[in-house]
Amino acid sequence: MTRKSIQYLGAASALAMAVSLACAGGASAQGATSTLRGTIYEGLAVETGGSITATEVATGYVSRGRIGDDGGYVLSGLRPGTYRINVTTADGQSVEDLITIALGQVATLDLDVAPVVTGSSDAGASELDDVIVTGRRIFEVRTSEVATNVSQTQINNLPQISRNFLNFAALAPGVRVTEGETERTISAGGQGASAINVFIDGQNQKSTIIDGGVGGQDDSRGNPFPQVAIQEFRVISQNFKAEFEQASSSIITSVTRSGTNELTGDAFITYQDSDWTSEDYQGREVGVERLQYGGSVGGPIIEDRLHFFGAYERKDETRRNTVALFRAAYAPLFGADTGTFDAPFEEDLFFGKLSWSIDDRQRLDLSATYRTEADIRDFGGNNAYSRANEINTDVSSVVLRHQYQGDGFLNEAQFDIYEYNYNPTALNFSDYGRSYVIFRDDNGGLPGFQYNVFNREDTVFNTGGQSNNQDIRQRSFTFRDDLTFNDIEWNGQHTIKMGVKFSAQNMYVNKQFGRNPQFIFDVDARPEINGSRDIPVRVELGTAVAPADVDNNVFGLYIQDDWQISSQLEVNLGLRWDYEDNAVNNDYSTPAAIRDTLNRIQALPGYDFPSYFNPADYITDGRDAFTGAFQPRIGFSYDVFDDERTVIFGGAGRYYDRVGFNFAFDERFKPFQFNKEIFFSVAGGMRGGVNTVAWNSTYLTPAGLDPLLAATPGSGEIFLINNDMEPPRTDQFNLGIRQKFGDFQTALTFAYGKTENLFAWYIANAGSETGNRFSGPTPGSVGHPEFRNLIFFGNNDAEQTFKAMYLTIDKPFDTDSGWGMQFTYTLSEAERNGSRDNGLTGFDFDYNRPGLSPTFPTNQDERHRIVASGIVALPFDFRLSGILTLGSGLPFHQYVCPRASNPDICWNGGRPDKEDFLFFPNSFAFRQVDLRLTKSFEVFNGQSVELILDAINVFNFENYSNFEQCLCSSEYRAPRGQFLPTRSFQIGMRYRW
């Protein structure tokens, strides 16, 4: 079957299913709703026939269902929240309950319409039609998923400074949130950040081009979404169902707030002074002045029918970088550029939503989000403020969701638009760069200076604009439809859900590497060079490469069956299939010069490419898209005593992720992108063995330099993608037991995952099968000097395994008890082979291919991790909350390692020293305690003001991120870097009305 026929077949199938499902009604969103089910009894007998309604207390929206012949009912598509459940049987009996259901739950609620007997039977008989009102929180125990819900109470009350709601994903087992200087990453399952996926109101937020897992998360100090607009979210650590796609470790699904029948709002402001942050382990100031403010408002337009909600958040952070000269003798030349300068970060987040209950069967939601941020950084030390970069990030989205509740089915349809633009630019890209350096003679001080970039002894000062700009954008138009049948009985009760997805994606990449000229000047103005600080010794300028503007069509189909075989046993069966027609340069044609290079090397007498590299697998005139992404998923839960207290659960599934287009883009980009050097002198001609050009001021611009550049030889690099490359694939398995003790729910889970098809770049023209990576024939040796010596090919044979045990204890906060807590312990081991950097740069120069490398711990292999959180109400309307994080620490490489399989290096063979914590000596390498204290004041008409104090890393534990790695050093294992934050304080105020 040809690639075109596959595309047409996929498109036709998706369109046919979309039309057939859309005819049933229209819909909600992936992972944005919950399900309530159960059985209606009269005493010990099941009640057949009748109806059940769920009325959302806050909005008045009604969902309806019917009671089956076996007494069972299912209410799908419920937004998480509090509901009044009303049951009316066929003979007129009724019962009412008030319950709260969390996001993504498939919760069970059994009700009894038998009258309450308070005295004689006659008294009970006279009260057959009485309504019984109770209230309770519904726990989810009969699920095969390993999932953790994070409530709005936790989001609003647990301590944090950044207001990034994804911080609290760390409350889930197997998930790690790491704060660096310029970004915050979320990783899970021993894999990197790119392996996760986030859904907000069912919209896929996956970053399709660059790393980070979430659009806008990579290389950003910002927040992905206004926290004030998040109602709650759910972290599925393992065994997510077939409706979820493009993740190989964990899924985070969240739902936004909506307006209610009551006009309400809130406003907040928080502030952190730069002096309220402790120094790092080297005594350096890391203080940030941080101001955050915003608010939300929501209410009815038409009571019980149409509601609105809007939110805005602003973040201003100011860091202060010092520009200084390390050689005081040159201070008169650059003194005006030295000093302390602000490095600001600014972010604006907007969210708006309309919710319309069209009638008792239909609901329509329309929401829009806009995020924009700018971060000025990358200056300080001997780099002037003019050398700064501005990291710009913009994210916008629109989501239209429609839900139709039919008799025995629910249809959910969604159309959304998503755009993420990553645009790092030089703050002064129009101002050429200038580096003032000290040169040394090539012959150790002897006469005869040689022009050479390596002749620099030291850089004294850098000023002017940086050299690189990037403009990277992903845009998608997505339609999905999910159809649920919840009234099917055959050997038990079935809830069958099926869906289709089509996403038209565009990926745009424009990299202007080296396009701002960078001039190198002799700061000493030596006569033997050019005798002037005003005439550069040389310049570097990159070639212009046309941007890539690529379309990619994505299709997804799935079906899953939640089969209640009995009141104790449930089986979840699912199958998903995904297809992308241009995920990895499928429309690419290998240039003739690269084909000829490979053919000539292959024809060299006495040389053969290593067996793991066949040029025919990498030369293309258009690749066939991968069609094998079939993903079976199965789970089960068994209620041992049929009382929803002791449940054994487990599951297995296959999950396909994707490789970011930024890697595949190198195949298009690298052969034609390179920097050229041009040397100058006053009069031009040969000097010191180098041909120089007579200096002219027109050369200070790219346009003036381009003619020189065209006449100057240069060389790019050959990058090749395998024509049959498969995306990363993970097989997950888990088995566990869940136990409920009163208000506590506990779980013990054993998890395993194996990931294959991990991607990295390797060297194709190696000198032998197992070594001599840099000694093979080069493109230049076969007549193609326009390419550099090494030929890179993408290999995705690397593998990774993850083994873990999760222990969780959860007691949700409630006002009656006045406290709540959550405890998670993760014992894990994550190992892999292949690239030692775990894909951080994508290159592996250590082995010819993954199979030759040893198996070693991954960068995320933290063996022990404890995260505990709690909220407690104190007298006089005070509230105290905290998060405790303890970890055994991440591994690091060891050099000059006697047990190394690769000479001298043991990849991630080292472990950090453990430190004391309370009564546990030498126990943890990572320790952090965060606290929040709040005090509420009631003002007038039910309004309140809350004062907030956050203390982050309150004991100022020094959590090291890097170490001296050489076993030969007396300072082995000494710290070389530190995780943030150091001890920090923040004050805030929240006003609610």
Side-chain angles (χ1 to χ4, degrees), residues 815-871:
T815 55
D816 290 337
S817 67
W819 70 283
M821 60 83 65
Q822 194 172 54
F823 173 88
T824 298
Y825 168 62
T826 301
L827 170 66
S828 65
E829 180 183 76
E831 296 182 323
R832 64 166 291 159
N833 63 358
S835 175
R836 61 171 165 157
D837 69 0
N838 291 201
L840 296 179
T841 64
F843 290 94
D844 187 358
F845 290 161
D846 304 303
Y847 304 96
N848 289 41
R849 56 186 174 86
L852 298 176
S853 79
T855 298
F856 54 89
T858 73
N859 290 344
Q860 300 297 325
D861 180 48
E862 187 172 43
R863 298 295 169 85
H864 303 273
R865 189 167 183 84
I866 293 173
V867 180
S869 65
I871 303 171

Side-chain angles (χ1 to χ4, degrees), residues 37 106 108 110 139-144 564 566-568 570 572 637 639 642-644 647 738:
R37 65 188 184 186
V106 181
T108 301
D110 296 333
F139 280 92
E140 180 187 36
V141 292
R142 293 179 180 175
T143 177
S144 59
Q564 288 182 276
S566 69
S567 61
Q568 293 176 268
E570 178 172 328
N572 313 109
S637 63
D639 189 344
D642 200 14
D643 59 0
E644 295 192 18
V647 175
R738 218 174 264 117

Side-chain angles (χ1 to χ4, degrees), residues 637-674:
S637 63
Y638 181 72
D639 189 344
V640 177
F641 303 109
D642 200 14
D643 59 0
E644 295 192 18
R645 303 188 68 84
T646 307
V647 175
I648 299 172
F649 64 94
R654 171 161 289 186
Y655 309 86
Y656 276 95
D657 205 343
R658 59 173 299 144
V659 174
F661 184 73
N662 200 37
F663 287 106
F665 172 75
D666 282 343
E667 186 181 40
R668 298 171 177 261
F669 181 68
K670 292 290 189 179
F672 309 105
Q673 190 280 323
F674 45 85

